[in-house]
Amino acid sequence: MTTDVPPAAGRGTVRRLAGTLHRRPRLRLALLLTGPLLWLSVLYLGSLAVLFVSAFWTTDSFTSQVVKVWSTDNFHALFTTPVYRQVVLRSVGVALAVTVLCAVIAFPLAFYTARVARPRRRPLLVVAILTPLWASYLVKVYAWRLILSEGGLADWMLAPFGLNGPGYGLPATVLTLTYLWLPYMVLPLHTALEQLPAGLLEASADLGARPGRTFRSVVLPMVLPSVAAGSVFTFSLSLGDYITVQIVGGKTQLIGNLVYSSIELNLPMAAALGTVPVAVIVLYLLAIRRTGALNSL
């Protein structure tokens, strides 16, 4: 014999539960965040932990099999081998160069879309700037490979001036990465400039400040957190990229290429190399924390 729960009793249970959650916002927040935090902890933080632990293993030189014996040889080789140091410094330099170029190019674009263009056209301009993000990553990189190839569009445009295109190499890598990640710098700058009170610019002009002084003393301090926020994306994405340099980098090697090439032959060494971008990005985030950039993300 079975007994059915009356509908009224079921509704009463739901109401009591809803009342309990309403009176206890911390419990409600904990229930909402438990699932995503567990997912983040297991998949993201867990994978980083496995990466860090495997970096202390070794590889059998004869069979190339991973030997789970604790050793610091990989990190010792990472810090003492000149090739690894050069690649790490080159990778950081490329990421910084891309970030600086994105900031220089993004500011006039964002200033025009936020302060100069007509209000009706501003959303269309923002969409036009973000449109390249909708295209395939590989399509854009291979398009730049065609542009920078010998006899390509770059050579054709520079030929009247007696110049040649950069070809494949480190400049081509920086140029391509700048194009790829530029929208990530434009968007936060556009938002910051759009929220900049017009009265501040007018007051600066009324006090006799020239445009350059207004930019240095009024505009730049207020948009600097947004520049730093955009740099988080441009720097981290450039530091970990390895496909672009394989397509347009010629013989240039970055840390991503070493990680990719070491996975099959020396997995622990690849894990040790993979910890370098993570450590650099963490230090970068700590460095820009004081600018308020993390609050602008």
Side-chain angles (χ1 to χ4, degrees), residues 132-205:
L133 295 178
W134 303 346
S136 171
Y137 175 94
L138 290 176
V139 169
K140 292 183 289 186
V141 177
Y142 273 107
W144 274 98
R145 179 179 175 85
L146 294 176
I147 293 173
L148 300 172
S149 63
E150 184 178 356
L153 181 62
D155 287 344
W156 178 77
M157 293 181 64
L158 295 175
F161 304 98
L163 302 175
N164 295 323
Y168 302 142
L170 200 60
T173 302
V174 173
L175 184 61
T176 305
L177 290 175
T178 300
Y179 168 78
L180 290 175
W181 313 135
L182 180 61
Y184 292 101
M185 182 67 76
V186 175
L187 190 59
L189 267 175
H190 170 84
T191 303
L193 290 171
E194 193 175 32
Q195 297 174 353
L196 185 67
L200 292 178
L201 303 179
E202 295 175 358
S204 178

Side-chain angles (χ1 to χ4, degrees), residues 57-67 265-269:
W57 295 340
T58 58
T59 302
D60 189 287
S61 59
F62 182 73
T63 62
S64 297
Q65 295 295 321
V66 176
V67 180
L265 299 177
N266 194 342
L267 182 60
M269 190 63 201

Side-chain angles (χ1 to χ4, degrees), residues 91-116:
S91 301
V92 175
V94 168
L96 290 175
V98 171
T99 300
V100 172
L101 284 176
C102 284
V104 172
I105 298 173
F107 188 86
L109 287 175
F111 188 84
Y112 179 81
T113 59
R115 312 294 304 187
V116 179

Side-chain angles (χ1 to χ4, degrees), residues 201-249:
L201 303 179
E202 295 175 358
S204 178
D206 292 340
L207 292 174
R210 295 182 178 180
R213 179 62 183 275
T214 300
F215 172 77
R216 293 192 306 269
S217 302
V218 179
V219 178
L220 187 60
M222 298 192 70
V223 302
L224 187 60
S226 297
V227 175
S231 72
V232 173
F233 296 100
T234 58
F235 182 83
S236 60
L237 292 173
S238 300
L239 185 64
D241 190 275
Y242 71 96
I243 298 178
T244 297
V245 68
Q246 285 186 330
I247 297 176
V248 300

